Amino acid sequence: MKKKYFVVWILTLSMLFAVAGCGGAGTENFSADAAATEAAIPQEAASFAGESYDTAEGVAEDAGGAITSENGIEPVAENGRKLIKTVNLEMQTKEFDTVVEGINKKVQEMGGYIENSSVWGSSYYNTGSTRNSEYTVRIPSDRLDEFIEVVGSLGNVTYKNESVEDVTLQYVDVESRKKALETEQARLLELLEKADNLEDLLTIESRLSEVRYELENYGSQKRLLDNQIDYSTVHITVNEVERITEVKERTFFEEIGYRFNDSLYIVGAGLKGFVIGIIGSLPIIAVWIAVIAGIVLILRKVFYGKKKEKKGPRADEEPKA
């Protein structure tokens, strides 16, 4: 019985050494011997597909919170994490043109740019209406707080929202995969120079094409992340108003007075709008009065003529021969 267990133990050790030997052989550099290189070309080219993604698994956080990598990649964020900041602002103003001009000026002064903008409200038929504008602005992240403070002082800020997205791990993952693919591309180019048969040449070129496509993809992702991290996004809405909404704490009696004054303002604005609408519409009203009067006269003449025909000739009138 002991002999039987001894044989099983010997076979198990043999299998473990065989597996370990195969695994170690897969990670060694290629032999300088030409015959060995030719035999390894298709195997090495095929093994790169899974190898390029294994390096990203080594990314982890150490006890201090810094981003590290077990495969030797330098920390991405030396002084902080990779953050994407977004700010939303809504503001009121009585001086719409001044605020819009101020926003454009500050964006240029701080090295940013306007990604999108739109203005609406006034029209040819309604020149007295209030205007509104929306901006999507990109500002260098290190000057974001300064920009928000300056723009906020241009008008009355009624709404403000700030959000931060931490993309540190995503950034490290993209950079790790990109570096692994660059290493694979260099090794494939070396194998391509040593390939001496058509089959190996086609295998290597096929994988090289895939690697270059993936490199471009990860390169685009990294450039997009860099842009979002380096330039914060600020959404600004500017509303032109006739009366600024005061945002502050009030006592009980101050609130009553504010509401009473607000109601008087609404009533006055309504009467003002009604009078302006009537006076402004007088030319149109005059045209409609003339049209209606003309229709009434025509209908009256038609009905009067029919009524006269029905009565017949008068008694004192002689019948015509």
Side-chain angles (χ1 to χ4, degrees):
M1 183 64 67
K2 291 183 178 180
K3 185 177 181 180
K4 181 179 179 181
Y5 283 127
F6 179 76
V7 172
V8 172
W9 183 71
I10 292 296
L11 291 175
T12 303
L13 287 178
S14 301
M15 292 176 65
L16 289 175
F17 281 121
V19 172
C22 292
T27 57
E28 295 179 356
N29 294 330
F30 296 102
S31 173
D33 184 65
T37 302
E38 293 176 2
I41 287 175
Q43 297 178 0
E44 290 290 336
S47 66
F48 277 129
E51 179 183 335
S52 60
Y53 299 102
D54 294 337
T55 55
E57 296 177 358
V59 178
E61 290 191 21
D62 61 6
I67 301 301
T68 61
S69 177
E70 296 177 0
N71 58 7
I73 296 176
E74 295 295 328
V76 176
E78 296 179 357
N79 299 323
R81 306 182 72 84
K82 296 294 183 179
L83 306 176
I84 298 176
K85 300 179 180 180
T86 305
V87 179
N88 293 277
L89 279 180
E90 289 186 12
M91 52 197 306
Q92 297 175 336
T93 181
K94 292 181 179 180
E95 300 176 354
F96 184 82
D97 295 326
T98 302
V99 172
V100 169
E101 183 180 352
I103 291 174
N104 285 275
K105 183 179 179 180
K106 292 302 176 183
V107 169
Q108 294 178 359
E109 288 180 357
M110 296 188 178
Y113 62 93
I114 297 177
E115 192 173 70
N116 186 28
S117 66
S118 59
V119 180
W120 71 95
S122 294
S123 66
Y124 178 80
Y125 297 100
N126 191 14
T127 56
S129 64
T130 56
R131 293 168 292 176
N132 304 275
S133 66
E134 287 185 354
Y135 292 89
T136 300
V137 179
R138 305 298 301 279
I139 297 295
S141 299
D142 56 347
R143 306 197 68 181
L144 176 62
D145 294 337
E146 180 185 356
F147 178 78
I148 295 301
E149 183 179 356
V150 173
V151 171
S153 65
L154 297 176
N156 181 42
V157 177
T158 58
Y159 174 79
K160 180 181 179 181
N161 174 263
E162 299 182 12
S163 63
V164 178
E165 181 183 1
D166 190 345
V167 294
T168 308
L169 293 179
Q170 180 183 353
Y171 191 94
V172 172
D173 181 68
V174 169
E175 191 172 64
S176 299
R177 292 171 186 267
K178 185 172 179 292
K179 288 187 177 183
L181 288 169
E182 289 173 349
T183 302
E184 180 181 353
Q185 179 179 241
R187 293 177 65 183
L188 285 171
L189 290 174
E190 293 177 0
L191 290 174
L192 190 63
E193 294 179 356
K194 298 177 181 179
D196 59 355
N197 61 72
L198 183 60
E199 182 180 357
D200 294 342
L201 187 64
L202 293 177
T203 301
I204 297 173
E205 286 184 345
S206 176
R207 179 55 191 162
L208 189 60
S209 177
E210 294 176 0
V211 168
R212 285 171 176 169
Y213 175 80
E214 293 176 10
L215 266 176
E216 181 63 28
N217 183 29
Y218 284 114
S220 299
Q221 292 184 39
K222 186 175 182 296
R223 288 191 295 270
L224 177 61
L225 288 172
D226 284 334
N227 180 264
Q228 293 176 330
I229 293 167
D230 295 338
Y231 286 85
S232 299
T233 303
V234 183
H235 300 287
I236 306 173
T237 301
V238 181
N239 300 314
E240 185 181 26
V241 296
E242 296 180 356
R243 189 184 187 194
I244 297 295
T245 302
E246 297 181 3
V247 182
K248 65 177 184 178
E249 294 184 0
R250 305 182 184 90
T251 63
F252 177 76
F253 293 103
E254 286 178 345
E255 185 68 23
I256 291 176
Y258 177 79
R259 294 294 181 89
F260 182 78
N261 291 332
D262 191 53
S263 299
L264 288 178
Y265 173 79
I266 293 173
V267 172
L271 291 174
K272 178 182 175 182
F274 177 76
V275 173
I276 292 175
I278 294 295
I279 296 175
S281 302
L282 282 178
I284 299 175
I285 294 174
V287 171
W288 276 107
I289 290 175
V291 170
I292 293 173
I295 294 174
V296 169
L297 290 175
I298 292 172
L299 293 176
R300 184 178 179 184
K301 187 175 291 187
V302 170
F303 286 122
Y304 181 77
K306 290 183 178 180
K307 187 175 181 181
K308 189 175 181 181
E309 290 178 359
K310 288 181 180 180
K311 288 183 178 180
R314 295 179 181 177
D316 56 346
E317 291 182 359
E318 296 181 359
K320 293 181 181 180

